[in-house]
Amino acid sequence: MSTIPPRMIQTIDLYNYTCSDGLLIPAINEYTWSTGVRAFLYFSGLLWCFLGVAIIADVFMSSIEHITSKTSTIYIHDASAPGGVRTLEVKFWNDTVANLSLLALGTSAPECLLPVIEILGHNFVAGEMGLGTIVGTAAYNLLVITAICIVVIPAGEIRRVKSITVFLVMGFMCVFAYVWLALVLLVISPGIVKLWEAIVTLLMFPLLIFVAYLAQRDFHFKGKRVHVKQWPGPIAIETVKRGHKPPSLN
């Protein structure tokens, strides 16, 4: 009876191979699959996911645009107008608040969900996807999106920043966000994000919206007074829902 020398015995782990430690895939053992087949299937699945994200993001952004385009009707009593009333459509949402909340959520939802999925799948241990997703998206938005917005402006036309104050607030917060993260990860608690640090970071977002809103209003808490000179006498302004008339006109 022949025996195999110990040095000729080789143990093979069928569950340890290239890309075998994925979060969701591989769902089955792919040890015997060729590299070309696996690459083709993974690439096809990636394109399918991109298509799904594009469809969902398009529907999501359309919904947000529908919400932010909501207007209310203001009825201004004017004796010189037909029926004694002028109507005016005004936006329900503040532009600054809408851009920093709903629109920002719609455009940043995919890259925010990826780090969340990764951190939950790795028992709250950060991986490479989270940092790469956030930094890569920020770099793309800063460089590529800004360049496209400049290129698409028709020749001979110019665009100006509507509110320099809001622009300065956003610029400061963008720089401060990276400084804060560096302090958290390198100084305050190196390599660890504590619960209070996460809560403070999250609370900075509504604080940013509030400060930007005040900056857009020139840091005035009260509404600006509008002086109407084209109609003699007092003017009554009533705001009602779309499709309804004020009580004085019923």
Side-chain angles (χ1 to χ4, degrees):
M1 182 176 179
S2 61
T3 59
I4 301 177
R7 64 176 182 273
M8 298 297 295
I9 299 176
Q10 182 179 5
T11 303
I12 300 177
D13 187 359
L14 298 180
Y15 296 93
N16 185 15
Y17 51 92
T18 305
C19 298
S20 61
D21 56 347
L23 182 59
L24 299 177
I25 53 177
I28 60 176
N29 195 312
E30 301 176 0
Y31 180 82
T32 59
W33 297 14
S34 66
T35 304
V37 171
R38 295 182 65 202
F40 174 76
L41 293 177
Y42 284 3
F43 184 72
S44 301
L46 182 64
L47 293 180
W48 183 82
C49 291
F50 282 165
L51 179 61
V53 170
I55 295 175
I56 295 175
D58 185 62
V59 174
F60 190 41
M61 289 301 300
S62 299
S63 302
I64 292 177
E65 290 176 358
H66 179 73
I67 294 174
T68 55
S69 63
K70 180 182 178 181
T71 60
S72 59
T73 304
I74 295 180
Y75 292 87
I76 303 177
H77 293 271
D78 179 18
S80 62
V85 173
R86 290 181 181 271
T87 60
L88 180 65
E89 295 282 339
V90 296
K91 288 186 176 181
F92 181 81
W93 279 83
N94 180 275
D95 289 338
T96 300
V97 174
N99 290 333
L100 292 179
S101 57
L102 295 178
L103 293 178
L105 176 63
T107 56
S108 302
E111 58 263 27
C112 290
L113 290 176
L114 286 176
V116 171
I117 295 174
E118 182 188 43
I119 200 75
L120 292 177
H122 289 86
N123 196 21
F124 287 89
V125 177
E128 298 179 354
M129 182 184 298
L131 180 61
T133 301
I134 301 302
V135 175
T137 303
Y140 186 87
N141 292 336
L142 178 62
L143 302 176
V144 179
I145 300 300
T146 303
I148 293 176
C149 292
I150 296 175
V151 170
V152 297
I153 298 177
E157 297 185 10
I158 59 175
R159 298 290 187 273
R160 300 183 183 276
V161 177
K162 185 177 181 180
S163 178
I164 296 295
T165 308
V166 176
F167 179 78
L168 293 177
V169 170
M170 291 299 302
F172 170 79
M173 289 301 296
C174 289
V175 177
F176 176 76
Y178 287 100
V179 174
W180 168 250
L181 291 180
L183 290 175
V184 169
L185 297 176
L186 300 177
V187 179
I188 301 177
S189 56
I192 301 175
V193 178
K194 298 182 179 180
L195 180 60
W196 71 267
E197 296 170 342
I199 294 176
V200 171
T201 305
L202 183 62
L203 292 179
M204 288 181 183
F205 180 65
L207 177 63
L208 167 63
I209 297 177
F210 180 69
V211 174
Y213 173 73
L214 293 181
Q216 197 230 1
R217 297 169 62 89
D218 297 330
F219 295 97
H220 292 163
F221 289 91
K222 295 183 179 180
K224 297 180 180 179
R225 295 183 177 272
V226 179
H227 300 280
V228 183
K229 300 181 180 180
Q230 56 265 41
W231 298 294
I235 296 176
I237 299 179
E238 300 181 45
T239 304
V240 297
K241 294 181 179 180
R242 180 189 294 273
H244 298 270
K245 293 183 179 180
S248 59
L249 299 180
N250 292 332

